[in-house]
Amino acid sequence: MKDGMLINPVRAVELFHALADQTRLQILDELKGGERCVCELMDCLEAGQSRLSFHLKVLKDAGMIVDRREGRWMYYAVNTEAFAELDALVDSFTHTKRTSRAPTRC
Amino acid sequence: MKDGMLINPVRAVELFHALADQTRLQILDELKGGERCVCELMDCLEAGQSRLSFHLKVLKDAGMIVDRREGRWMYYAVNTEAFAELDALVDSFTHTKRTSRAPTRC
DNA sequence: TTGACGAATCAATATTTGTTGATATATCAT
DNA sequence: ATGATATATCAACAAATATTGATTCGTCAA
């Protein structure tokens, strides 16, 4: 990711929110092993189709995953760029040192 | 953070959830400049006392910030360790390569 | 073209999260 | 002790998010 590029707070919230859920983390964890179709995710996560679809949409809207149709199947895969973005975001949090001023009491 | 140490999913959700809110990100951003008392945060975030207290608790429960009493004032500051943990967590996401197997169709 | 299948979307509902104003608690100054 | 101040907590409510089952849509096979 471009250095010095600021990620706006709205985007940051969207990213973190997408990750702030057990099911979605499981999905991402599974997708780390390569692309998967929905039915396979249903299997290994033991989640209903509708529920899964919902969470996949959240992840997709946040840009964390990408999809690809192949016939009747939809394949999902992690979007590497988004992870780089996340990495940069966390780094900017961790490393951005501001001129530390003393607290001003009320 | 210890290498190879796995962060459990529940903890990951807690961390990301704590960050998935505009107000809480603002708080952290402010605290990057050094420790602050609540009244000062109220000022610069233009947030009510009760609301702020709520979000500070979320951040504190997640271990993102620490507090310190000084007389009537409570001072909050970022907890560096938690940020290291976050960093490690994101890294583990980004870099953990699993043996990529082909997707198994239904 | 019809039927079956994989997946998205919708509507209803449940659950969780956030906000607000009121009250409680702790500490200080008098 | 009393009152003032800083903050936490609580209760009521509002808003956002997640779950479920039903329906719809797109694609394929016969």
Side-chain angles (χ1 to χ4, degrees):
Chain A
M1 202 163 173
K2 260 205 229 88
D3 189 64
M5 176 171 178
L6 292 182
I7 296 174
N8 84 22
V10 176
R11 174 61 178 148
V13 168
E14 185 182 34
L15 272 176
F16 287 131
H17 169 257
L19 296 168
D21 178 276
Q22 186 67 58
T23 304
R24 293 195 287 269
L25 289 184
Q26 284 180 258
I27 291 172
L28 290 174
D29 195 54
E30 184 60 26
L31 295 186
K32 280 198 300 192
E35 73 174 1
R36 300 280 184 268
C37 69
V38 176
C39 44
E40 192 177 16
L41 290 171
M42 287 178 63
D43 247 33
C44 62
L45 301 202
E46 297 186 323
Q49 184 266 317
S50 168
R51 185 158 83 97
L52 210 46
S53 217
F54 169 80
H55 289 293
L56 286 168
K57 184 163 164 35
V58 173
L59 286 170
K60 192 187 159 191
D61 287 349
M64 307 291 301
I65 59 178
V66 292
D67 58 357
R68 171 178 79 81
R69 177 181 284 281
E70 190 178 315
R72 292 179 248 185
W73 294 272
M74 289 297 297
Y75 286 94
Y76 285 91
V78 301
N79 179 17
T80 318
E81 281 186 39
F83 280 85
E85 193 183 0
L86 178 66
D87 218 353
L89 174 59
V90 170
D91 271 11
S92 80
F93 258 115
T94 312
H95 303 304
T96 305
K97 278 273 177 276
R98 300 268 221 57
T99 43
S100 170
R101 70 175 166 77
T104 336
R105 183 172 287 172
C106 314
Chain B
M1 196 154 181
K2 261 208 230 83
D3 189 65
M5 175 172 180
L6 292 181
I7 295 174
N8 85 23
V10 175
R11 173 62 178 148
V13 169
E14 185 182 34
L15 272 176
F16 288 130
H17 169 258
L19 295 168
D21 177 277
Q22 187 67 58
T23 305
R24 294 195 286 270
L25 289 184
Q26 283 179 258
I27 291 172
L28 290 174
D29 195 54
E30 184 60 25
L31 294 186
K32 280 198 301 192
E35 73 174 1
R36 300 279 184 271
C37 70
V38 177
C39 43
E40 192 177 15
L41 290 170
M42 285 177 63
D43 247 34
C44 63
L45 301 201
E46 296 186 326
Q49 184 266 315
S50 166
R51 184 159 83 99
L52 210 45
S53 216
F54 169 80
H55 289 292
L56 286 168
K57 184 164 165 35
V58 173
L59 287 170
K60 192 187 158 190
D61 287 350
M64 307 290 302
I65 58 178
V66 292
D67 58 358
R68 171 178 78 82
R69 178 181 284 281
E70 191 177 314
R72 292 179 248 186
W73 295 271
M74 289 297 297
Y75 286 94
Y76 284 91
V78 301
N79 178 19
T80 318
E81 281 185 39
F83 279 86
E85 193 183 358
L86 177 66
D87 219 352
L89 173 59
V90 170
D91 271 11
S92 80
F93 259 115
T94 312
H95 302 303
T96 304
K97 279 273 178 277
R98 301 268 221 58
T99 44
S100 169
R101 69 178 168 76
T104 337
R105 183 173 286 171
C106 314

